[in-house]
């Protein structure tokens, strides 16, 4: 019920079409039953020369025959025409219904997918950290696919088979309810026996596979372990082991043969066993005046019941799967956002003079241990501040608070005196450019990768940014230039080229605040130089927080902030910090063991 309620808003626009499709499916089922009833006059005409049959009881479907005018001359021609007409109509109805059902299914799934994607894009980074990629992709791709299959194909099949079941059941009961009752009491016995036999044969086939693999394992062991077998004089023992398994295999195979061989004669026998009294009963009924044709229709309708019963009995499996899928889809759709704009949040005015951390502490959502503790830091306009510290000290975490990827646990983060939680996320992030260490490029053209976030900008602007990032020369050498598609995650480019594209992207954004996560992997020196020059262009006029993994790059910084286990332990410039003989000096010595010229107290 709750699933139907969940799905309702997505199916609502298609309900009229769904209803029309169900109606057509119903008509097509009724037409199929009608076709079977037409067999009665055909056989009656053949056996007695009259569509109604010869006996006093007359045709079972006499009213239909009257209605279709089959009592008159040329009945067979009419029947033939009706058969053609009905099957044509049935085909058209089925065709239309299948199309409409599929259209509804695909449309519902498309709107679900769009909604899921839209919500995914608005979730916070904490949400992404909590969910593995596969867990987020499955509901959007495969679960929706399964739901679509259920909504279009399985639902159509369910309606069609249900209509056929009711129509043919009605038909056989209408023709002879007593015979139908006996048939439906006996049918489970026959079905039960076939199912049992089938299960037995499958089990034996599995057992025989086991025995064959036992045999081959024994064989392989004794061939490879011949030396040991001989050394311990175990030939006769191994021979006995092999013989036993081989004999077991024969026994299993023979058992399987017995069941398989039994199956077909038994079914045939059972068939005749049931058919014999049926034959006598039918002859008796015909003697009483019931038409031959009625029983032909009966038998055909009985066979036609096989498909709906088989398909409907398996239907619940498909619906169960679809229901599990729909659960996963709605669980994801209903996951609340954990980082929203406050009601009444205002846009952040253009950046003025400072970013200020006030007694900021931070623990990742769901974790007890704070990663940052008591951070007090002011970054003035135009300043370049380098964050330095051992791996895991909290540098990236500190930087990720500025664009409000996470909310502080304690304290405040202010930009020009405004708490970042009071401004809209969009306006905040519009003023921040981020160049991260794992440069992410989309599988798109170089132009679109550089203009990511500024799709409206002109080609001249893109080229200007590429020049400032020292990547335009390289792009000029490519046969397709800016229209070159970079491959998934920019695989067709080198590490340095990727970084410079990311820098060009940040230059084009022209944001006043820059967060630079220095790449950890070293580049060759030519490439490194280009990246450095590109960075200098990028940082010009920006207020920059640079996460420095390699201390050689921090020399550009006006101020170095050293973090240790989530606390700021030292601040100053390179010389001051080296002179202090603290964490910075230790880290520096670790990275530059050959340098000794710096003063040590
Ligand atoms: P590195 O130089 O190795 O990048 P870092 O100084 O940037 O390290 P952070 O990435 O800020 O350090 O990580 C600080 C601490 O927070 C680490 O102990 C890390 O395990 C933890 N941490 C980082 N990201 C998450 C996250 N998404 N969820 C939970 N804990 C995290």
């Amino acid at each position: 019920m709750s699933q139907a309620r969940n799905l309702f808003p997505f199916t609502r626009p298609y309900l009229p079409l769904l209803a029309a499709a169900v109606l057509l499916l119903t008509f097509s089922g009724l037409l199929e039953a009608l076709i079977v009833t037409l067999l009665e006059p055909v056989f009656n005409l053949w056996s007695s020369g009259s569509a109604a049959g010869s006996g006093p009881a007359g045709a079972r479907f006499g009213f239909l025959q009257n209605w279709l005018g089959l009592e008159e001359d040329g009945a067979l021609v009419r029947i033939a025409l009706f058969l053609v007409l009905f099957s044509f109509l049935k085909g058209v109805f089925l065709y239309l219904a299948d199309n409409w059902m599929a259209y509804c299914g695909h449309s519902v799934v498309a709107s679900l997918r769009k909604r899921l994607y839209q919500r995914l894009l608005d979730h916070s980074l904490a949400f992404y950290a909590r969910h593995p990629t596969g867990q987020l992709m499955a509901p959007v791709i495969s679960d929706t696919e399964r739901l679509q299959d259920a909504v279009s194909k399985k639902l159509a099949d369910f309606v069609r088979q249900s209509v056929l079941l009711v129509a043919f059941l009605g038909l056989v009961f209408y023709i002879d309810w007593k015979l139908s009752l006996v048939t439906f009491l006996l049918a489970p016995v026959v079905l039960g026996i076939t199912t049992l036999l089938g299960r037995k044969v499958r089990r034996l086939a599995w057992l025989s596979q086991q025995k064959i693999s036992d045999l081959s394992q024994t064989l392989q062991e004794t061939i490879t372990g011949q030396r040991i077998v001989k050394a311990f004089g175990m030939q006769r023992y191994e021979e006995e082991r092999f013989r036993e398994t081989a004999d077991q295999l024969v026994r299993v195979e023979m058992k399987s043969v017995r069941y398989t061989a039994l199956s077909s004669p038994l079914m045939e026998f059972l068939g005749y066993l049931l058919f014999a009294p049926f034959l006598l009963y039918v002859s008796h009924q015909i003697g009483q005046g019931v038409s031959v044709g009625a029983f032909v229709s009966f038998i055909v309708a009985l066979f036609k019941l096989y498909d709906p019963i088989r398909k409907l009995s398996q239907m619940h499996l498909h619906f169960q799967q679809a229901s599990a899928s729909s659960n996963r889809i709605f669980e994801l759709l209903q996951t609340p956002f954990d980082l929203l704009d406050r009601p009444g949040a205002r846009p952040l005015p253009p950046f003025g003079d400072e970013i200020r951390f006030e007694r900021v502490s931070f623990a990742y959502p769901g974790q007890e241990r704070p990663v940052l503790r008591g951070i007090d830091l002011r970054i003035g306009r135009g300043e370049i501040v380098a964050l330095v510290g051992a791996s895991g000290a909290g540098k990236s975490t500190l930087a990720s608070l500025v664009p409000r990827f996470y909310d502080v646990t304690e304290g405040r983060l202010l930009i020009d005196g405004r708490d970042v939680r009071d401004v809209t996320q969009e306006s905040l992030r519009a003023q921040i450019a981020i160049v991260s260490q794992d440069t992410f490029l989309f599988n798109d053209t170089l132009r679109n990768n550089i203009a990511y976030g500024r799709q409206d900008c002109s080609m001249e602007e893109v080229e200007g940014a590429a020049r400032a990032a020292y990547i335009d020369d390289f792009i000029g050498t490519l046969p397709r230039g800016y229209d070159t598609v970079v491959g998934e995650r920019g695989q067709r480019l080198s590490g340095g080229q990727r970084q410079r594209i990311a820098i060009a992207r940040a230059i084009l954004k022209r944001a006043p605040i820059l967060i630079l996560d220095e790449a950890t992997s070293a580049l060759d020196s030519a490439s490194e130089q280009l990246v450095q020059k590109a960075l200098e262009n990028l940082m010009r006029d920006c207020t920059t927080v640079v996460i420095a993994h390699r201390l050689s790059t921090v020399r550009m910084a006006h101020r170095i902030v050293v973090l240790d286990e989530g606390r700021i332990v030292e601040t100053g410039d390179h010389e001051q910090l080296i002179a202090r003989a603290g964490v910075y000096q230790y880290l520096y010595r670790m990275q530059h063991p050959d340098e000794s010229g710096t003063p040590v107290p």
Side-chain angles (χ1 to χ4, degrees):
M1 257 338 268
S2 73
Q3 300 210 352
R5 213 174 24 244
N6 282 335
L7 261 178
F8 184 67
F10 294 93
T11 43
R12 191 167 41 200
Y14 307 100
L15 283 182
L17 199 60
L18 265 180
V22 168
L23 205 67
L24 284 193
L25 284 172
T26 311
F27 284 149
S28 83
L30 292 178
L31 278 173
E32 199 159 337
L34 196 60
I35 289 171
V36 174
T37 65
L38 281 182
L39 294 176
E40 183 187 21
V42 173
F43 278 86
N44 287 349
L45 277 166
W46 283 344
S47 62
S48 65
S50 152
S54 54
R60 283 321 251 136
F61 299 104
F63 66 95
L64 258 179
Q65 291 159 18
N66 284 338
W67 185 57
L68 295 174
L70 300 184
E71 291 307 316
E72 299 145 25
D73 288 343
L76 263 178
V77 177
R78 272 167 184 267
I79 294 172
L81 286 177
F82 279 127
L83 280 178
V84 172
L85 177 70
F86 291 165
S87 71
F88 173 74
L89 283 179
K90 185 190 95 170
V92 171
F93 290 173
L94 266 184
Y95 175 80
L96 288 177
D98 277 352
N99 268 284
W100 293 350
M101 288 296 247
Y103 175 73
C104 294
H106 284 292
S107 308
V108 167
V109 162
S111 33
L112 265 173
R113 279 192 174 139
K114 288 181 221 164
R115 187 99 184 83
L116 278 167
Y117 188 58
Q118 179 200 359
R119 276 196 74 93
L120 275 182
L121 289 181
D122 286 340
H123 270 294
S124 68
L125 286 186
F127 168 87
Y128 283 95
R130 277 201 309 275
H131 296 86
T133 312
Q135 204 179 326
L136 297 179
M137 291 189 61
V140 187
I141 306 293
S142 47
D143 285 329
T144 40
E145 180 88 37
R146 212 165 287 142
L147 201 63
Q148 177 262 316
D149 187 63
V151 172
S152 42
K153 288 203 209 102
K154 294 296 179 297
L155 190 62
D157 216 26
F158 177 74
V159 173
R160 180 168 148 68
Q161 299 304 336
S162 306
V163 171
L164 288 179
L165 182 77
V166 172
F168 285 121
L169 268 182
L171 211 67
V172 291
F173 272 90
Y174 178 73
I175 295 173
D176 193 320
W177 68 268
K178 279 181 267 174
L179 186 58
S180 305
L181 211 60
V182 177
T183 312
F184 285 106
L185 288 179
L186 288 177
V189 179
V190 181
L191 281 179
I193 292 174
T194 31
T195 324
L196 263 176
L197 276 177
R199 215 177 278 163
K200 201 89 190 158
V201 169
R202 273 197 300 279
R203 176 150 172 78
L204 286 168
W206 177 82
L207 216 65
S208 124
Q209 279 303 316
Q210 287 295 102
K211 294 292 162 205
I212 289 174
S213 93
D214 285 356
L215 267 189
S216 70
Q217 181 159 3
T218 313
L219 185 63
Q220 197 196 353
E221 264 177 16
T222 43
I223 291 174
T224 49
Q226 230 352 267
R227 182 183 282 266
I228 300 291
V229 174
K230 287 211 162 57
F232 285 84
M234 293 294 273
Q235 286 95 324
R236 296 292 80 80
Y237 170 81
E238 293 298 345
E239 189 188 334
E240 190 51 39
R241 217 155 63 106
F242 192 86
R243 189 200 305 245
E244 211 171 286
T245 318
D247 288 346
Q248 280 172 356
L249 179 63
V250 173
R251 282 197 290 277
V252 171
E253 290 286 5
M254 279 319 294
K255 215 167 168 183
S256 166
V257 166
R258 276 198 293 277
Y259 281 114
T260 318
L262 186 66
S263 159
S264 146
L266 183 72
M267 291 319 296
E268 205 167 306
F269 171 71
L270 278 175
Y272 281 113
L273 197 67
L274 294 177
F275 193 63
F278 178 80
L279 203 68
L280 294 178
Y281 174 80
V282 169
S283 306
H284 171 260
Q285 288 298 90
I286 290 175
Q288 297 290 304
V290 178
S291 74
V292 179
F295 283 102
V296 175
S297 294
F298 184 91
I299 294 172
V300 174
L302 209 57
F303 277 108
K304 290 247 179 199
L305 271 171
Y306 177 72
D307 238 19
I309 291 177
R310 186 176 61 86
K311 286 190 175 157
L312 286 172
S313 65
Q314 291 165 356
M315 204 67 86
H316 72 282
L317 270 180
H318 297 291
F319 284 124
Q320 253 167 19
Q321 280 178 351
S323 149
S325 289
S326 136
N327 267 342
R328 277 192 293 268
I329 291 172
F330 285 100
E331 204 178 284
L332 184 57
L333 268 184
Q334 286 158 2
T335 309
F337 292 118
D338 45 17
L339 211 139
L340 284 171
D341 282 349
R342 272 194 186 154
R346 297 179 148 268
L348 178 70
F351 179 61
D353 33 74
E354 62 163 24
I355 302 167
R356 186 187 283 273
F357 287 77
E358 272 186 5
R359 294 181 309 284
V360 166
S361 291
F362 174 76
Y364 277 100
Q367 302 211 337
E368 295 267 304
R369 196 180 60 88
V371 174
L372 296 173
R373 278 172 285 192
I375 302 287
D376 274 307
L377 178 67
R378 178 186 178 277
I379 303 164
R381 189 195 174 108
E383 215 183 344
I384 301 176
V385 169
L387 301 178
V388 166
S391 177
K395 307 179 290 288
S396 309
T397 308
L398 183 75
S400 68
L401 296 180
V402 181
R404 203 186 162 205
F405 284 154
Y406 300 94
D407 273 338
V408 299
T409 322
E410 273 173 49
R412 298 194 299 169
L413 171 58
L414 307 168
I415 293 183
D416 296 333
R418 281 185 186 78
D419 193 315
V420 288
R421 288 168 294 192
D422 293 335
V423 298
T424 60
Q425 294 176 57
E426 197 185 338
S427 69
L428 170 68
R429 290 175 192 158
Q431 302 207 37
I432 302 173
I434 300 176
V435 178
S436 58
Q437 51 175 302
D438 50 344
T439 304
F440 196 98
L441 297 186
F442 294 88
N443 188 13
D444 202 342
T445 60
L446 282 168
R447 187 223 172 258
N448 288 344
N449 264 297
I450 294 175
Y452 195 73
R454 289 263 336 259
Q455 301 301 50
D456 56 327
C457 69
S458 69
M459 198 57 214
E460 284 69 43
E461 284 179 280
V462 173
E463 284 172 7
R467 256 194 309 280
Y470 293 92
I471 188 70
D472 64 323
D473 283 349
F474 164 71
I475 296 175
T477 65
L478 297 170
R480 306 207 45 185
Y482 284 86
D483 291 327
T484 310
V485 175
V486 300
E488 196 177 332
R489 285 188 154 237
Q491 273 164 357
R492 293 187 203 139
L493 304 174
S494 77
Q497 286 158 355
R498 275 202 296 271
Q499 277 176 27
R500 279 177 284 146
I501 301 271
I503 293 170
R505 187 190 276 170
I507 290 175
L508 199 58
K509 188 169 178 185
R510 279 202 231 101
I513 301 171
L514 172 66
I515 292 173
L516 196 62
D517 195 349
E518 185 199 48
T520 36
S521 51
L523 302 171
D524 63 67
S525 52
S527 190
E528 175 88 45
Q529 256 186 11
L530 284 177
V531 170
Q532 283 300 333
K533 278 163 48 180
L535 281 177
E536 277 162 29
N537 281 342
L538 171 62
M539 287 192 283
R540 192 167 298 141
D541 304 327
C542 270
T543 305
T544 307
V545 178
V546 49
I547 301 163
H549 296 283
R550 275 169 293 144
L551 303 185
S552 49
T553 52
V554 301
R555 292 180 192 243
M556 295 187 283
H558 301 126
R559 194 150 50 105
I560 300 167
V561 171
V562 184
L563 285 171
D564 189 30
E565 295 189 3
R567 286 181 195 283
I568 296 181
V569 288
E570 292 165 16
T571 25
D573 64 23
H574 176 73
E575 272 68 34
Q576 288 167 342
L577 291 177
I578 286 290
R580 276 185 64 167
V583 177
Y584 184 79
Q585 193 206 61
Y586 172 75
L587 290 170
Y588 192 81
R589 286 273 155 82
M590 292 276 286
Q591 284 192 11
H592 304 87
D594 311 333
E595 288 187 30
S596 55
T598 339
V600 180

